[in-house]
Amino acid sequence: MLEIIAFEAKYKDVFRDLNLAWLERFFYVEDKDHELLNDCQTHILDKGGLIFIGLWNQKPVSCYSLLKKGGGIYELGKMAVEVKHQSLKIGQQMLAHAIALGKRNQWERIELYSSTILKPALHIYRKFGFREVILENNSPYARSDIKMELLL
């Protein structure tokens, strides 16, 4: 059973390590990743963002962040699930949690950046109502070739 909890400082290494493992598996770690993962307090939390940790039988196995972009707009990112727990639909539960949080707080929208090589992830985003929008030229990640948003 998955329990999703708000970030606590004791999970900073878990947040970093889950994301590094995912990035190294599919892409490479960019400067922006290092910035967010090595000091999530300064670059996410202190700027009004949020981080959540997914516990499976009390063990941290997943995470995601919401970066505050202004107004009621948040960027979903740094979502990762430990490899051996990926068949349990944990990512979908984390995504549903983020959407419910946004609706509860009456946010305008949630945005995300992804890559078209991640077909299963894109399928899930679409299943949850995200739609593709124009990717700006100065995307924060070199690996991103698609931007999606969910209007809340």
Side-chain angles (χ1 to χ4, degrees):
M1 192 72 176
L2 184 70
E3 177 186 7
I4 300 172
I5 62 167
F7 179 82
E8 298 174 31
K10 69 181 180 180
Y11 292 119
K12 70 180 176 59
D13 292 343
V14 169
F15 178 68
R16 182 197 63 222
D17 294 347
L18 283 170
N19 276 284
L20 289 176
W22 182 88
L23 287 164
E24 290 166 354
R25 181 174 175 207
F26 291 102
F27 301 100
Y28 58 92
V29 183
E30 298 181 34
D31 290 342
K32 179 77 171 174
D33 299 313
H34 284 296
E35 177 183 287
L36 295 172
L37 297 174
N38 290 329
D39 189 358
C40 62
Q41 182 66 48
T42 299
H43 297 289
I44 299 174
L45 300 170
D46 289 350
K47 293 182 177 183
L50 303 159
I51 299 173
F52 292 91
I53 303 295
L55 302 176
W56 188 265
N57 294 326
Q58 307 296 313
K59 180 183 181 288
V61 299
S62 63
C63 60
Y64 77 87
S65 69
L66 290 159
L67 286 83
K68 186 171 185 165
K69 295 186 81 173
I73 303 168
Y74 285 77
E75 177 189 328
L76 176 71
K78 301 298 172 237
M79 182 178 284
V81 179
E82 192 176 70
V83 173
K84 62 185 172 187
H85 290 87
Q86 288 184 349
S87 63
L88 302 171
K89 298 189 177 187
I90 291 172
Q92 291 186 51
Q93 292 177 66
M94 299 293 280
L95 183 56
H97 182 269
I99 293 168
L101 179 69
K103 287 180 178 178
R104 208 169 38 250
N105 288 298
Q106 299 180 326
W107 295 345
E108 179 184 333
R109 70 179 180 262
I110 297 174
E111 302 176 341
L112 63 86
Y113 294 87
S114 192
S115 171
T116 51
I117 68 167
L118 301 171
K119 295 193 185 319
L122 296 177
H123 172 76
I124 291 168
Y125 297 142
R126 288 184 178 105
K127 176 178 155 181
F128 278 82
F130 282 83
R131 299 288 172 244
E132 187 173 349
V133 296
I134 295 172
L135 178 68
E136 61 266 40
N137 290 332
N138 60 344
S139 169
Y141 302 100
R143 65 181 167 266
S144 297
D145 62 1
I146 187 170
K147 180 179 179 181
M148 302 179 87
E149 70 177 20
L150 175 66
L151 299 178
L152 301 171

